Amino acid sequence: MSFTLETKLAFKVLDGYFENYSYVKGNEASAADKEVFEALPEGPSPSAFPHLARWYNHIAIVKGYTIKAAVEGSVAAHAKEVVAAEEDEDDIDLFGSDDEEVDEEAEKVKAQRLAEYQAKKANKPKTIAKTTITLDVKPWDDETDMEALTKAVKEIAMDGLLWGGSQLVAIGFGIKKLQINCVVEDEKVSMDDLSDKITDLEDFVQSVDVAAMQKI
């Protein structure tokens, strides 16, 4: 299903989202990133939507997508500003006369404000990206000890992994699967690693699938 994001509100919402996340889903570029990329009618302005523009340019480079005109224009304008700034620096007389007076009070205020800004930035809590996941863990047959299976799964420990509630769901022929919830920190827990640890319980587990997942 294709769609188009045409409003400034959509740009603002996406900019806020990409302030905390690198991709639309998961920890790498996916089809969801492509869909959102192609839905944008024009490239976002780096000055107005810095986080969205960062994601947009990154996806274009990683996936080889064509950057739309608005971004090219804004990048070109930014390049001109950089060149102009470098030319201004070239005009500065680094060996000027000592007769020029330095406003010491202004310099003190500037240094104080810079120190306050850096302290505030350092103390700002980092947003921890988390995902709620529902897993379907299927046994080999109807003779599998589901109580032992559930216990073994919940004993899996990983930094950034928190197990939640679980239930047994009938899937036919007297066989039940374990449906279990967990919360993971995206930077610490990979779904591939978690799935491997569960399937390593080969005496109990035939397979594991992601039934549902949602960003927190």
Side-chain angles (χ1 to χ4, degrees):
M1 179 181 68
S2 61
F3 62 95
T4 302
L5 301 173
E6 299 181 346
T7 67
K8 293 296 182 183
L9 176 59
F11 273 50
K12 184 175 181 181
V13 171
L14 288 172
D15 188 65
Y17 179 81
F18 288 117
E19 182 178 2
N20 298 317
Y21 298 102
S22 298
Y23 302 101
V24 175
K25 291 182 179 179
N27 297 317
E28 59 183 21
S30 64
D33 292 278
K34 178 181 180 182
E35 187 173 8
V36 174
F37 183 96
E38 294 179 344
L40 296 175
E42 63 180 27
S45 166
S47 60
F49 309 103
H51 307 296
L52 177 58
R54 169 190 52 73
W55 167 85
Y56 187 92
N57 289 320
H58 174 69
I59 295 300
I61 293 171
V62 171
K63 293 297 186 180
Y65 300 150
T66 300
I67 296 178
K68 299 174 184 177
V71 166
E72 292 175 344
S74 62
V75 170
H78 179 65
K80 291 180 180 179
E81 292 175 0
V82 172
V83 171
E86 291 176 348
E87 291 176 348
D88 290 341
E89 290 179 0
D90 291 339
D91 293 337
I92 297 176
D93 183 5
L94 298 178
F95 303 96
S97 170
D98 291 337
D99 293 338
E100 296 180 2
E101 296 182 358
V102 177
D103 189 337
E104 295 183 359
E105 188 63 29
E107 291 298 320
K108 288 181 180 179
V109 172
K110 184 190 298 185
Q112 181 181 354
R113 289 179 178 175
L114 178 59
E116 291 174 352
Y117 169 76
Q118 291 176 339
K120 182 178 180 181
K121 185 176 181 181
N123 293 328
K124 183 178 180 180
K126 181 181 178 181
T127 301
I128 300 176
K130 295 182 179 180
T131 303
T132 299
I133 303 172
T134 300
L135 298 173
D136 282 345
V137 184
K138 297 178 182 178
W140 288 106
D141 50 40
D142 60 343
E143 295 182 357
T144 300
D145 187 339
M146 295 305 294
E147 183 176 343
L149 183 153
T150 301
K151 181 180 178 182
V153 170
K154 288 189 174 183
E155 286 178 349
I156 294 174
M158 299 175 67
D159 184 24
L161 168 66
L162 178 64
W163 291 111
S166 64
Q167 62 178 342
L168 299 180
V169 180
I171 57 178
F173 303 102
I175 302 174
K176 294 182 179 181
K177 66 180 178 181
L178 169 65
Q179 192 167 81
I180 186 168
N181 298 320
C182 65
V183 176
V184 301
E185 293 184 24
D186 296 346
E187 291 187 359
K188 295 181 178 180
V189 180
S190 161
M191 272 308 306
D192 289 338
D193 291 343
L194 179 56
S195 296
D196 288 344
K197 286 183 178 293
I198 295 175
T199 53
D200 282 345
L201 303 172
E202 54 189 21
D203 290 340
F204 302 110
V205 178
Q206 177 191 120
S207 64
V208 57
D209 298 303
V210 176
M213 61 190 307
Q214 181 177 0
K215 294 288 183 182
I216 299 178

